[in-house]
Amino acid sequence: MRKKIVAGNWKMNMNLAEGLKFAESVSRYFNNKPAAKAEVILCTPFIHLGGVSAILENSKVASGAQNCASEESGAYTGEVSAGMIKSTGAKYVIIGHSERRSYYHEDDAILNRKTSMALKSGLKVIFCCGEVKEERETGKHFEVVKRQLGNGLFLHSGKEMAEVVIAYEPVWAIGTGLTATPDQAQEMHKFIRQLVSEKYGKEIAEDMTILYGGSCKPSNAAEIFSKPDVDGGLIGGASLKLDDFTAIVEAV
Ligand code: 13P
């Protein structure tokens, strides 16, 4: 069965005390509610992850990281391995976010390695893809997403794909206030599901959770999530405010 998910990506926001306090409020909110219709995930900075994972243990909310190393262990100063992330109790890791691709020059080959490390360590992967503005304007968006998935993700096996969630995040919609229209999101999500189907078969494609990300907020979430191939969201700015984040989860 295809799972609905709403994941918050805190990016580089909140100090440790603020992050822990916020995770406690999110946990309290969902623990006091009947089961949410979506799995809720908080993807935090590395510094917060141990504390947040402890707070969320036995709660209805899962934790995740925003990146992991492309190597398993050793002399890689400043890096954090997938195994270390897993050891905090976290379940997920975001790989291939556009901010990692553009600011830290992570290419398809590196992202493929990171995905392998994460899956090998028993983490679930939220694999991001999406085109920049110019690529959309010149009609290259399908080609770009196809390349990103083909080279970064589709080298993995069908069995491994059961541990993967795909997030479509058009770069022009991230943090800009511009959102893909529900029809634009549906069109790309359907295309992505088709690619998964061609590579891995219909059953794996039908089970694949595909999230939308990019200026998702309480006022537009319900309409975007109502589309048949949109299975939830990856939320940046609005995941930092309890009321907005919980309203987006309710919109599923
Ligand atoms: P915003 O929701 O702030 O546009 O960010 C989306 C995003 O990048 C989530 O990973």
Side-chain angles (χ1 to χ4, degrees), residues 11-152:
K11 307 193 179 183
M12 197 172 72
N13 291 293
M14 294 195 281
N15 68 25
L16 180 59
E18 290 162 346
L20 297 181
K21 192 164 160 226
F22 188 70
E24 262 163 26
S25 354
V26 174
S27 168
R28 203 174 314 120
Y29 179 92
F30 287 106
N31 288 346
N32 290 334
K33 288 242 154 203
K37 292 197 189 75
E39 177 167 16
V40 180
I41 306 166
L42 302 181
C43 295
T44 80
F46 289 133
I47 289 288
H48 302 57
L49 199 54
V52 168
S53 298
I55 289 167
L56 299 181
E57 201 185 348
N58 302 321
S59 83
K60 293 180 182 161
V61 181
S63 60
Q66 301 169 13
N67 177 32
C68 72
S70 57
E71 304 300 326
E72 198 165 316
S73 67
Y76 299 99
T77 302
E79 288 294 279
V80 175
S81 74
M84 292 172 188
I85 294 168
K86 175 75 179 169
S87 76
T88 66
K91 282 202 195 134
Y92 286 88
V93 58
I94 297 173
I95 291 181
H97 192 282
S98 63
E99 287 148 19
R100 302 281 334 160
R101 290 176 188 267
S102 68
Y103 304 146
Y104 303 100
H105 316 293
E106 294 188 2
D107 60 15
D108 294 335
I110 291 265
L111 298 174
N112 178 52
R113 281 185 64 77
K114 290 189 174 200
T115 302
S116 297
M117 288 298 156
L119 294 171
K120 236 169 89 178
S121 302
L123 290 169
K124 291 179 190 287
V125 168
I126 302 175
F127 190 91
C128 301
C129 59
E131 79 286 357
V132 300
K133 189 158 173 267
E134 195 210 338
E135 290 161 343
R136 168 135 316 238
E137 285 170 355
T138 51
K140 297 205 181 90
H141 43 299
F142 292 118
E143 186 188 312
V144 167
V145 166
K146 185 175 180 182
R147 193 209 72 226
Q148 291 172 337
L149 293 176
N151 297 346

